[in-house]
Amino acid sequence: MTCWGSPVPVNDLNPLPSVALLARVGPARERLREALAQAGATVVLEEDPNSVDLETLGGADAGAVLIALEPAIEDALERLDPVLASPSLTVIFDEAELAARREGWEAQRWARHLVAKLHGHQDVLPPGAEQEGLLQPEPGLPQTPAELHADAPLEFHVREAFDAAGDVPPDGLYQAPEGYSEPISLEEALAAMQAPVAAPSASVPPPVPASAPPVPRAPLGDHSSWSLVDEDSAVPVAAPVAPVSAPIEANAFDIDRLSLVELEADADPSSAAPGAVLVLAGIGGPDALRRLLAALPAGLAVPILVYMRLDGGRYGNLVKQMARVSALPVVLAESDQPVLAGNAYILPDDVGVAVHNRGLHFTADAKGIQVAALPPAHSAVVMLSGSDVALLDDVLSLAVAGGWVAGQTGEGCYDPIAANAVVAAGMAAGDPPQLAAAIAERWGVSE
């Protein structure tokens, strides 16, 4: 009989990758070392992130890196990002404060989730509690990759190529227009900007008094004689020259003719988005959230609201981590601010949303984000791994009212109860990159 405190079994056919443990000296580092030993993982490097260098981390030949997150190592993670960003490296984050307090059953549970993350599967049950698989064979051949992706949406890729077409350089070198020559002096440049004088009509010659003195030509320094040229006019008309009563210095400005230019108006308060995509996550959520935000395009025509409850309340750290992979600006939501499209907002526990003047605004709410506060016609909810099951009724009610709802499936969904429930109810399903593609196709990209 296998007890709960026994070591987590390791699959000999699929051994765990070697792990580099990055954590400051203290209880969190000791707990994570114990969890790796209990999971049967081989630790090839154990260092403080503030002291380890890129060469040491890159030369450790680790297949995964386990990092104890805390504010004191934020700068170190920025420095180590060239190695951590490698696609062949599995990066797992854990809050140092939570790791230091984890004992007993919680430590056993975390060790099982750690093995699942390192193996890339969803089996997080304790030893002896495995579920029996399907015993009866099913007829038919398995689907081929071509069949699996036969209905994959292409509209997003076509729109992205169309938007980038204007930035593609044309064939050949630039050729200047015929007869074009650059001015060699400031005087010639100013003279070229003045409107040409219209030729007098042949049928009606202008009366010129014989005794009238010629009108003196205004020097280039007199800006009052300049005028704008109407490009659509067939025959340009010269601006009238005011009578000159006294000679004007060449470099003098006529202050009486100056005027203030009206500044641009402030942003319209109605720029707040009419709805938003609410992303809910929990256990295993950081990895799924990173994959979702990394696949969303810049300029998305809908705001993304992310709520993942953190026991330590360090949402500022989550903002920094997600900003490294997201093409969208990732900011911390604040009350009394409009919700703008094209941004990804991390929601603290005391910030909710409400509709003002047909646009969403953040509000101070001790209960946090409420699904019922989202306008169904313009909003969506995506339930990732670890989403709160208590929100299922509100999420499905939003779907009935016209909202778009989806759930995460596939590898990396370590706590799929809530996500599977919305999928079983007939909602959209997919892994984080597929859900990101569906969001981009549904709302598009702003011009």
Side-chain angles (χ1 to χ4, degrees):
M1 178 175 174
T2 304
C3 64
W4 285 83
S6 61
V8 178
V10 179
N11 187 352
D12 295 334
L13 299 178
N14 185 19
L16 293 174
S18 55
V19 181
L21 174 59
L22 299 183
R24 294 203 305 162
V25 177
R29 182 166 166 176
E30 296 175 4
R31 296 292 182 273
L32 292 179
R33 185 193 310 119
E34 294 171 358
L36 290 171
Q38 193 174 25
T42 302
V43 179
V44 296
L45 177 67
E46 181 177 331
E47 289 288 347
D48 186 332
N50 294 321
S51 59
V52 70
D53 53 31
L54 288 171
E55 292 75 13
T56 303
L57 180 58
D61 195 23
V65 178
L66 177 58
I67 302 174
L69 278 178
E70 53 183 320
I73 68 168
E74 288 297 329
D75 294 338
L77 293 183
E78 293 285 352
R79 177 173 53 84
L80 298 175
D81 190 64
V83 175
L84 297 178
S86 173
S88 61
L89 195 64
T90 300
V91 181
I92 303 174
F93 295 99
D94 190 19
E95 288 282 346
E97 183 178 352
L98 299 180
R101 301 198 309 260
R102 199 176 287 128
E103 294 180 355
W105 183 87
E106 281 293 332
Q108 294 290 329
R109 181 170 174 266
W110 164 247
R112 294 195 302 273
H113 281 280
L114 183 60
V115 171
K117 289 174 181 288
L118 295 174
H119 268 307
H121 60 64
Q122 303 180 30
D123 183 11
V124 296
L125 295 175
E130 295 84 358
Q131 295 179 348
E132 296 184 356
L134 183 64
L135 300 179
Q136 297 296 331
E138 294 183 348
L141 296 175
Q143 285 185 305
T144 64
E147 293 173 341
L148 289 174
H149 299 280
D151 298 328
L154 298 177
E155 180 64 23
F156 165 69
H157 303 285
V158 174
R159 188 184 299 110
E160 184 180 26
F162 178 79
D163 294 338
D167 298 332
V168 179
D171 295 336
L173 299 176
Y174 170 76
Q175 296 181 355
E178 184 179 356
Y180 173 80
S181 62
E182 295 198 6
I184 60 175
S185 66
L186 176 61
E187 288 76 9
E188 290 185 1
L190 293 175
M193 295 171 60
Q194 298 194 35
V197 180
S201 175
S203 59
V204 183
V208 179
S211 60
V215 178
R217 179 184 179 91
L220 292 176
D222 183 11
H223 299 276
S224 62
S225 63
W226 292 9
S227 64
L228 297 176
V229 178
D230 188 358
E231 296 180 353
D232 297 332
S233 177
V235 180
V237 179
V241 179
V244 179
S245 58
I248 302 175
E249 296 181 5
N251 296 325
F253 283 90
D254 189 356
I255 302 178
D256 294 336
R257 298 178 181 269
L258 297 180
S259 62
L260 296 176
V261 177
E262 184 178 357
L263 298 177
E264 295 182 359
D266 295 336
D268 189 353
S270 62
S271 59
V277 176
L278 175 61
V279 180
L280 302 174
I283 298 176
D287 295 334
L289 185 57
R290 285 166 61 92
R291 296 171 62 196
L292 177 72
L293 293 181
L296 289 173
L300 187 67
V302 66
I304 303 295
L305 309 182
V306 177
Y307 180 67
M308 184 176 67
R309 183 175 181 81
L310 299 178
D311 292 340
R314 300 183 183 276
Y315 294 99
N317 292 346
L318 184 61
V319 170
K320 295 179 181 179
Q321 296 299 326
M322 296 305 151
R324 295 176 181 174
V325 300
S326 174
L328 300 173
V330 182
V331 295
L332 187 65
E334 298 180 2
S335 59
D336 301 326
Q337 296 295 325
V339 182
L340 303 179
N343 288 340
Y345 296 94
I346 303 299
L347 298 174
D349 295 331
D350 57 353
V351 173
V353 293
V355 177
H356 298 297
N357 297 328
R358 299 183 180 179
L360 276 182
H361 290 72
F362 292 116
T363 60
D365 192 338
K367 298 181 180 179
I369 184 67
Q370 302 295 315
V371 177
L374 297 173
H378 306 285
S379 300
V381 175
V382 176
M383 305 196 81
L384 299 180
S385 175
S387 298
D388 191 354
V389 180
L391 299 176
L392 272 175
D393 290 341
D394 291 340
V395 172
L396 294 178
S397 296
L398 183 79
V400 173
W404 187 77
V405 174
Q408 179 187 353
T409 59
E411 296 183 359
C413 191
Y414 304 107
D415 185 4
I417 298 177
N420 286 349
V422 297
V423 174
M427 305 296 116
D431 58 22
Q434 291 172 338
L435 296 178
I439 293 172
E441 181 182 12
R442 183 178 180 87
W443 276 275
V445 178
S446 299
E447 295 295 337

